[in-house]
Amino acid sequence: MDRLPVIRTSLPDLEEYTNEIKDLWDSHWITNMGVKHEKLQALLEEHLHVKHIDLVCNGHHALENAMEVLELPAGSEVITTPFTFASTVHAIVRRGLIPVFCDIKPDDYTMDPDKLEALITPNTSAILPVHVYGNVCDTEALEDIASRHGLKLIFDASHAFGEEYKERGIMTYGDISTISFHATKVFDTIEGGAICHDRDDLVERLTDIKNFGIRGPEEVVYPGGNAKLNEFSAAMGICNLRHIDELIDKRRQLTLKYNELLSDVSWLKLNVIREGVRSNYAYYPVLCDDRDGLFAKLKDNGVDARKYFFPIASEYECYKSRYDSSATPVALDVSRRVITLPLFPDMSLTDVERVCSIIRT
Ligand SMILES: *Cc1c(COP(=O)(O)O)cnc(C)c1O
């Protein structure tokens, strides 16, 4: 039997993609905010119900550019969680800011607002929570704390494409939400990402940041970098967006099948989607005490799972001397017990049965 990967990127039909990129051969305009970029931006603003979308070359630069445009003071502290992808924490450090780690909630693995306020100091400038696995953060409590303390609130919504909470687009929470369109995510542009916000006054500066601060042939107004999304990536996004509802529905069916086959396994803790959330079913995380044993058993039977997220950021080689990972005991515990099972739209219900029967035997 073929190995079952943990994730496999969905691609549009080759013909659909080649049709979409044909006019690039006529125009020879293949990057620098061309027609595909402009079209995808407008389509996403509508699809995600946000006023402004700034497309960039990846989700990591979306985070860095978001912190840059909000002008967080150099050397100030940004409170995030260690239970995230490396990018979230690295983006803080690479902007010359100091990550401070808040623990997560044991039920949905997002930032615990009850543990947040004790970490705020006069040097805190922002809060950067993550909608882990598409589980929606406690947005109301976090917005309340941010506004009471005059802090910026940036959500890393890389896992949350297309989600809604209480019938409101998830990308509309906080000052800014950032997202990744990497090939492994629910919606992809091969590589890509975006900064979502509703502030007219940030639009021009965000363009400066991603395009060298160049506004005209002889006009350079800001020391920006280069984080532009090219036309081939934007075209891939336009194609993928046509199929997104169908792709998310396939994920939903696979998730329900997993739930059905695993809900009576007493030693497994399944993920619960909070009331009021329209989920995108991005990942299928489960927790168990012998995580490494389960990982090895799946691997021996041809199924690739992922220890996602393990280790936590405060245990990384590059950070561990500066942090005590036992200060976030829930994050530490979850990282040692979590495993994400294979989940991607091209997977079949039979594949789910295969994974579950390995788990159950
Ligand atoms: C994928 C991801 C990123 C980084 O996005 P890239 O597009 O890979 O640069 C950041 N944060 C989280 C939570 C992610 O999952």
Side-chain angles (χ1 to χ4, degrees):
M1 214 183 290
D2 287 344
R3 282 202 82 77
L4 184 62
V6 66
I7 281 175
R8 200 172 75 149
T9 306
S10 303
L11 291 168
D13 283 344
L14 182 57
E15 205 189 332
E16 182 180 355
Y17 185 65
T18 52
N19 278 335
E20 190 62 50
I21 60 174
K22 258 192 192 120
D23 44 342
L24 301 178
W25 258 260
D26 301 329
S27 68
H28 289 244
W29 185 334
I30 59 174
T31 186
N32 285 45
M33 289 78 86
V35 289
K36 304 300 171 186
H37 179 286
E38 298 303 295
K39 182 174 169 186
L40 180 63
Q41 186 164 287
L43 288 170
L44 286 173
E45 282 168 356
E46 191 183 324
H47 186 85
L48 300 173
H49 314 293
V50 292
K51 187 163 182 205
H52 297 297
I53 289 215
D54 178 51
L55 294 175
V56 289
C57 58
N58 56 49
H60 179 81
H61 275 82
L63 283 163
E64 285 204 23
N65 294 9
M67 284 184 268
E68 185 169 345
V69 81
L70 291 176
E71 299 179 345
L72 305 185
S76 66
E77 293 167 1
V78 176
I79 304 177
T80 188
T81 94
F83 192 71
T84 182
F85 184 59
S87 171
T88 319
V89 181
H90 290 349
I92 296 170
V93 172
R94 293 176 65 83
R95 284 300 313 149
L97 304 162
I98 302 166
V100 171
F101 293 123
C102 180
D103 210 354
I104 57 172
K105 294 187 282 170
D107 55 346
D108 65 8
Y109 324 123
T110 64
M111 183 180 281
D112 188 342
D114 291 339
K115 297 187 180 157
L116 174 57
E117 277 191 283
L119 299 169
I120 297 173
T121 74
N123 194 28
T124 307
S125 59
I127 307 170
L128 176 36
V130 186
H131 299 299
V132 182
Y133 308 131
N135 289 347
V136 170
C137 292
D138 193 342
T139 48
E140 284 139 333
L142 294 170
E143 283 188 332
D144 176 57
I145 293 170
S147 80
R148 273 193 289 110
H149 292 267
L151 301 173
K152 300 284 191 251
L153 180 59
I154 304 167
F155 285 101
D156 183 342
S158 295
H159 289 188
F161 183 88
E163 294 195 310
E164 289 177 15
Y165 179 53
K166 294 190 175 166
E167 286 166 27
R168 181 173 147 192
I170 201 66
M171 311 304 287
T172 64
Y173 287 91
D175 293 285
I176 288 181
S177 290
T178 68
I179 188 158
S180 162
F181 302 145
H182 184 257
T184 53
K185 304 297 204 284
V186 168
F187 166 80
D188 85 276
T189 60
I190 309 171
E191 293 268 6
I195 296 148
C196 310
H197 64 97
D198 65 359
R199 280 184 43 186
D200 298 344
D201 61 313
L202 299 183
V203 173
E204 210 169 30
R205 180 61 87 220
L206 280 167
T207 307
D208 293 338
I209 294 172
K210 76 171 171 188
N211 189 31
F212 307 111
I214 296 174
R215 291 200 186 162
E218 298 178 11
E219 191 188 13
V220 182
V221 301
Y222 183 84
N226 180 3
K228 301 185 297 290
L229 186 75
N230 72 71
E231 291 288 276
F232 291 89
S233 279
M236 184 65 92
I238 291 166
C239 294
N240 285 335
L241 197 59
R242 287 190 195 112
H243 306 285
I244 193 70
D245 291 342
E246 184 195 332
L247 295 172
I248 290 176
D249 192 60
K250 284 188 182 158
R251 290 177 175 276
R252 186 182 64 84
Q253 290 174 35
L254 296 161
T255 299
L256 294 180
K257 190 74 182 168
Y258 267 127
N259 287 347
E260 178 195 323
L261 296 176
L262 296 178
S263 61
D264 65 339
V265 179
S266 60
W267 49 271
L268 267 189
K269 178 177 178 290
L270 308 186
N271 192 47
V272 178
I273 294 165
R274 179 142 62 105
E275 181 119 20
V277 173
R278 196 176 117 195
S279 180
N280 63 9
Y281 308 94
Y283 297 89
Y284 197 87
V286 297
L287 265 59
C288 66
D289 290 339
D290 184 17
R291 186 269 311 273
D292 291 348
L294 179 59
F295 181 85
K297 184 158 101 168
L298 289 165
K299 198 176 162 81
D300 292 346
N301 285 278
V303 171
D304 291 331
R306 192 172 174 197
K307 298 176 195 178
Y308 191 64
F309 301 103
F310 175 81
I312 54 173
S314 47
E315 290 189 312
Y316 293 172
E317 198 60 42
C318 52
Y319 298 133
K320 67 181 183 192
S321 67
R322 275 181 277 162
Y323 294 94
D324 173 10
S325 58
S326 66
T328 55
V330 179
L332 190 61
D333 175 62
V334 172
S335 76
R336 288 175 178 169
R337 293 197 296 131
V338 74
I339 189 166
T340 55
L341 300 178
L343 180 63
F344 51 90
D346 295 336
M347 204 174 143
S348 68
L349 293 173
T350 317
D351 291 328
V352 176
E353 285 165 6
R354 175 179 160 202
V355 176
C356 294
S357 73
I358 297 166
I359 292 173
R360 297 177 65 100
T361 51

